[in-house]
Amino acid sequence: MPLTLISATPSPFARINRIAMLDKGIPFTLENEIPWHKAETQTPKYNPLEKLPILLNPDDPSFEPVYDSAHIQDYIVKKYADKQPTLLTGNIDLDLKARQILVLSEGVLDAFVLEFFEVARDESKRSQEWMGRQARKIDGGMVAFDELVKSRKGEYLIGDGKTYTIADIAVVCAVSQIDFGAIRPDWKAKHPDLEQWWKGMDEREHFVSTRPVMFDIKTNTVV
């Protein structure tokens, strides 16, 4: 039996891992749920932080659940280093930069989720200061992505631009979520270079097949 990835249909965090596994040809099954539906979710059974995604191996009773998207990505890259593409360059400094870009991307996505649920609150309960902080993270991240794209030396973001890495996957997934959520309608006008690069990457087979689909959430607060 293949690995199991517990996800949610719109999750950009799980999408990062799904693309890596599809690229490497790692067999896995996808189980979707909504972790905020307390009566239905299995997430707490595998992750004490009650967050998705979670990677499981149903065939191995001794296998400990792997959770947090960035950690799962590291697991995929290291555990399946013999499978192409490697998703890293092999140069320690460049690979550390790739991981830094993954952290940046997931920080933008965390801010997106926090802003999403704050906006879902009754207007009288919203914190404008809190929303402003998340907005600055998102906007700062988009500027950083744009600068990475402008300074790249080839098709890809790291090094000489010839090696496809976890950094490319992460940035595409982060930008896609901003676009999917329609929270920055003018981002393409502000960052045309980023848009052009993103559009080309997002048309790849495994990016197309993992695009987010919204679920029917039953709560307007994070529980």
Side-chain angles (χ1 to χ4, degrees), residues 60-190:
D60 184 357
S62 66
F63 185 90
E64 294 186 9
V66 183
Y67 48 83
D68 185 274
S69 176
H71 183 52
I72 293 173
Q73 200 75 332
D74 201 36
Y75 178 92
I76 292 165
V77 168
K78 290 181 178 178
K79 195 77 172 177
Y80 298 91
D82 59 327
K83 290 183 176 289
Q84 294 296 320
T86 60
L87 300 178
L88 289 174
T89 68
N91 176 290
I92 188 168
D93 292 319
L94 294 178
D95 291 344
L96 287 170
K97 182 176 180 180
R99 289 188 173 96
Q100 182 71 73
I101 293 170
L102 172 59
V103 169
L104 169 66
S105 302
E106 296 210 347
V108 169
L109 292 171
D110 281 333
F112 171 88
V113 172
L114 292 170
E115 183 179 272
F116 174 86
F117 279 102
E118 191 68 19
V119 170
R121 296 180 190 274
D122 184 272
E123 189 171 358
S124 64
K125 297 179 180 178
R126 294 176 195 164
S127 168
Q128 295 302 318
E129 184 175 350
W130 178 257
M131 290 170 61
R133 178 164 169 74
Q134 308 318 316
R136 291 194 300 275
K137 295 177 190 176
I138 293 167
D139 294 338
M142 293 295 281
V143 169
F145 296 153
D146 192 48
E147 291 172 350
L148 285 167
V149 167
K150 288 176 178 176
S151 64
R152 78 191 191 283
K153 297 177 181 177
E155 184 177 3
Y156 304 114
L157 297 176
I158 295 295
D160 61 9
K162 295 179 180 178
T163 304
Y164 170 63
T165 71
I166 58 173
D168 301 294
I169 296 173
V171 172
V172 172
C173 289
V175 173
S176 294
Q177 200 69 14
I178 300 304
D179 190 66
F180 173 71
I183 62 169
R184 294 293 184 277
D186 61 346
W187 80 264
K188 294 176 183 177
K190 285 185 175 180

Side-chain angles (χ1 to χ4, degrees), residues 1-4 26-29 31 56-60 80:
M1 186 181 294
L3 297 170
T4 296
I26 301 168
F28 72 98
T29 59
E31 290 186 5
L56 306 173
N57 186 345
D59 278 348
D60 184 357
Y80 298 91

